[in-house]
Every structure is written in structure tokens, then in C-alpha cells.
Amino acid sequence: MRRIAIAMASLAALLAAGSRAAEAPPPKPDAADAPKTAPPAGPATVPAPPYEPQILRLATMMGALAYLRDLCGANDGAEFRKKMQALLAADGIAESERDLIAGAYNKGFDDFQLTYRTCTPAGREIIARYLSETARIATELASRYGG
């Protein structure tokens, strides 16, 4: 998906440059006005993928579940860490995007670690809601963007 977006943006820029060149006659070269070196090209900005908000929400909840499930005795927090590592290892995810996703996971973990020292009924309710929501988001992402 990301590669397609980059290709489409490059094609659009190329077409826009071509249409501007067709509208005006090319300038006559003048050796005195020519720059000695080409200006450095700025970094290309790539738009965020359309699924980024869902991935970040999923990562935040997975971090929270990794902490809360262990706190409440399920002892399967390592499974959520493994799933997050698999997500981060997926092909096509840029390094900057990996950093965002990992940061969201860590935020979810850290936020609940600061708030919950023992398992409470509210913690158990959060677990139930997050398990339901993560399953829904994962299913939606897989059906909409999966290969």
C-alpha cells in the first residue's frame, strides 16, 4: 500500500511538471544566469498510510493488554509483545512508522503501569473491552488492507 502511494505521488509530480512545461516555452539558456551547482533536493515527504490511526490504536491497546493481562493473572503478556514484534517486522513498514507504532505500544503499557498496581474490576473491564476492540480492528485491517 505504501509503495503504491509513493508511486502515485511520483507520477502525479511528474505529470504536473510535464503539464507546466507544455504551457510555457522553455527559457533560453544564459551561461551567466546558470547556477554553478544544483540546489540540494529536500527530503521527500510520504503521506501516512490510510490505516495509520487504526494501527496506532491497536498498538496502544496491545501495550495496555500486555501489562494488564499479566497484572490480572492471565500471564500472557509475552504473547502481546510477540504479536507486536511480528507487526513491527512486517514488510513495507518504514523505520519512522515502526518508531510510531512502537511508541504507541510503549505508551499503552506505561500509561496503565502508572495507573494500576493491582488488578481491579475496572482493569478487568478494560481488558474485556480492549480484547474486543483489538479483534475488531485487526479483522477490519486484514480484510481491507491485507494481502
Side-chain angles (χ1 to χ4, degrees):
M1 184 74 174
R2 175 80 116 183
R3 291 182 187 132
I4 293 170
I6 293 169
M8 293 303 288
S10 298
L11 180 60
L14 183 62
L15 291 174
S19 69
R20 283 192 301 272
E23 292 170 3
K28 295 180 181 172
D30 186 1
D33 293 337
K36 301 296 181 213
T37 60
T45 57
V46 178
Y51 52 81
E52 185 174 90
Q54 293 98 331
I55 288 285
L56 295 177
R57 176 70 178 147
L58 184 66
T60 302
M61 289 187 298
M62 288 174 66
L65 285 167
Y67 177 74
L68 289 173
R69 296 277 295 170
D70 281 349
L71 184 68
C72 289
N75 299 322
D76 61 356
E79 292 301 315
F80 290 96
R81 283 185 285 281
K82 286 179 189 173
K83 289 177 183 179
M84 180 52 56
Q85 289 169 343
L87 176 63
L88 293 173
D91 286 338
I93 297 179
E95 189 67 31
S96 60
E97 197 173 343
R98 280 190 189 100
D99 291 345
L100 280 174
I101 295 168
Y105 176 90
N106 291 335
K107 182 178 179 358
F109 189 97
D110 293 344
D111 286 353
F112 282 92
Q113 187 178 34
L114 289 171
T115 307
Y116 288 87
R117 300 286 183 207
T118 61
C119 186
T120 64
R124 290 185 196 282
E125 179 64 25
I126 290 167
I127 289 170
R129 288 182 184 194
Y130 279 15
L131 287 173
S132 175
E133 190 174 348
T134 56
R136 181 185 54 77
I137 291 173
T139 301
E140 286 175 5
L141 288 173
S143 66
R144 188 165 187 186
Y145 302 104

